[in-house]
Amino acid sequence: MESSDGVGPQPTRFKPPSRTSMSQNVLDQILTEIREGRLKPGERLPSERLLMEAFSVGRSTVREAVRGLVTLGLVTNRQGVGAVVSTQVSSPFASIRRSVDVDQLNRRALLDLFDVREALETKAAEFAARRATAEDLAELQLQHKAVEREVRAGRVYFQQNALFHKAIATAAHNPVLAESINLVVVQVREYRERMMRETPLMPQRDVKEHLAILSAIERRDPDAAREAMAAHIRSSARVIESHGDPERS
């Protein structure tokens, strides 16, 4: 049944989830609607606002659950339409157990993103060591100092961290590579911010690893720059592997 605002079916069957695993509960209830045919392939999910009201949860909980469904391939986000139940012929419904572990799902998806970051950013660091101009190096030094300043002040430094990585991508002088890196970095923002707050050794380690990358680029050593960047990305991935989903660590 369409809601009065024309943004998907009215989610009258949903119940507020338990507080111990809100996003898991939201994901499971939507999954049940899909499995039992009340939400059919090609149909839109209820709007974000309606889901928030139906489940009595915040925006971040709804978005986390929908991200889990997207990662599973059960839902796709369509520009100008919203979240839509997948119309793929090879539906994975039959092989999905009744309770999907959204925390493990997020962890796997995040590690996949870090694999992509390593592939892209190691190449960017290598290119930057070969191609960086004097202006590029000055920008890298500026952003490295900005990260140091925020870390010393004990503040979350995602923005400065992202600008440091963006400066490396820019110094690679490959616009397609730079845009790809920017898109991936945005995807991990929520997790990185939490990791920065909750992993005591991460801030100082980031400063040290950034300096190793910067020094290699300044020395015009592509191999060292590539290896320093790989070590930096892998150290963050190890935190996730050791402690699970950063939202729970």
Side-chain angles (χ1 to χ4, degrees), residues 114-186:
F114 271 88
D115 282 345
V116 174
R117 281 194 65 183
E118 182 178 338
L120 295 173
E121 294 203 61
T122 53
K123 183 57 69 173
E126 176 186 336
F127 286 165
R130 299 180 190 276
R131 303 171 181 173
T133 65
E135 290 78 11
D136 292 331
L137 294 176
E139 180 66 14
L140 273 169
Q141 292 160 358
L142 179 68
Q143 298 306 333
H144 174 65
K145 289 177 182 177
V147 171
E148 282 188 309
R149 183 176 62 250
E150 295 302 299
V151 169
R152 282 198 304 269
R155 293 189 288 260
V156 172
Y157 54 99
F158 178 87
Q159 187 62 36
Q160 293 74 22
N161 180 75
L163 288 173
F164 177 79
H165 285 268
K166 182 177 180 179
I168 293 172
T170 300
H173 291 278
N174 183 317
V176 175
L177 179 60
E179 181 62 22
S180 299
I181 290 170
N182 290 339
L183 289 171
V184 173
V185 169
V186 168

Side-chain angles (χ1 to χ4, degrees), residues 6-219:
V7 285
Q10 185 69 34
T12 55
R13 292 173 295 276
F14 297 141
K15 297 176 290 186
S18 64
R19 295 188 64 83
T20 54
S21 184
M22 292 191 292
S23 58
Q24 175 71 65
N25 196 305
V26 171
L27 185 149
D28 284 344
Q29 290 194 56
I30 297 174
L31 183 60
T32 296
E33 296 293 294
I34 295 171
R35 183 186 292 111
E36 295 182 1
R38 289 186 291 271
L39 280 172
K40 297 178 174 59
E43 289 185 352
R44 290 172 295 173
L45 294 187
S47 70
E48 193 174 81
R49 179 181 62 79
L50 286 173
L51 288 173
M52 290 167 60
E53 292 173 356
F55 290 115
S56 298
V57 297
R59 191 180 306 276
S60 62
T61 297
V62 169
R63 287 182 175 178
E64 182 179 1
V66 173
R67 281 199 302 268
L69 292 165
V70 170
T71 303
L72 284 170
L74 302 178
V75 167
T76 57
N77 281 314
R78 295 184 185 173
Q79 188 70 28
V81 176
V84 177
V85 179
S86 176
T87 57
Q88 294 176 346
V89 175
S90 55
S91 171
F93 297 166
S95 63
I96 294 176
R97 65 184 188 277
R98 181 159 293 275
S99 178
V100 178
D101 189 338
V102 73
D103 296 319
Q104 291 299 314
L105 179 64
N106 286 344
R107 178 171 176 246
R108 288 194 300 271
L110 186 58
L111 288 171
D112 286 345
L113 280 172
F114 271 88
D115 282 345
V116 174
R117 281 194 65 183
E118 182 178 338
L120 295 173
E121 294 203 61
T122 53
K123 183 57 69 173
E126 176 186 336
F127 286 165
R130 299 180 190 276
R131 303 171 181 173
T133 65
E135 290 78 11
D136 292 331
L137 294 176
E139 180 66 14
L140 273 169
Q141 292 160 358
L142 179 68
Q143 298 306 333
H144 174 65
K145 289 177 182 177
V147 171
E148 282 188 309
R149 183 176 62 250
E150 295 302 299
V151 169
R152 282 198 304 269
R155 293 189 288 260
V156 172
Y157 54 99
F158 178 87
Q159 187 62 36
Q160 293 74 22
N161 180 75
L163 288 173
F164 177 79
H165 285 268
K166 182 177 180 179
I168 293 172
T170 300
H173 291 278
N174 183 317
V176 175
L177 179 60
E179 181 62 22
S180 299
I181 290 170
N182 290 339
L183 289 171
V184 173
V185 169
V186 168
Q187 295 298 316
V188 301
R189 174 169 189 157
E190 178 182 345
Y191 300 95
R192 282 286 292 173
E193 286 183 340
R194 185 173 289 268
M195 290 164 69
M196 289 168 180
R197 289 193 301 268
E198 299 183 0
T199 308
L201 297 179
M202 175 170 280
Q204 290 298 333
R205 188 187 65 200
D206 279 347
V207 170
K208 180 179 179 181
E209 292 172 354
H210 282 188
L211 181 59
I213 298 165
L214 174 59
S215 298
I217 293 172
E218 289 177 325
R219 296 195 310 272

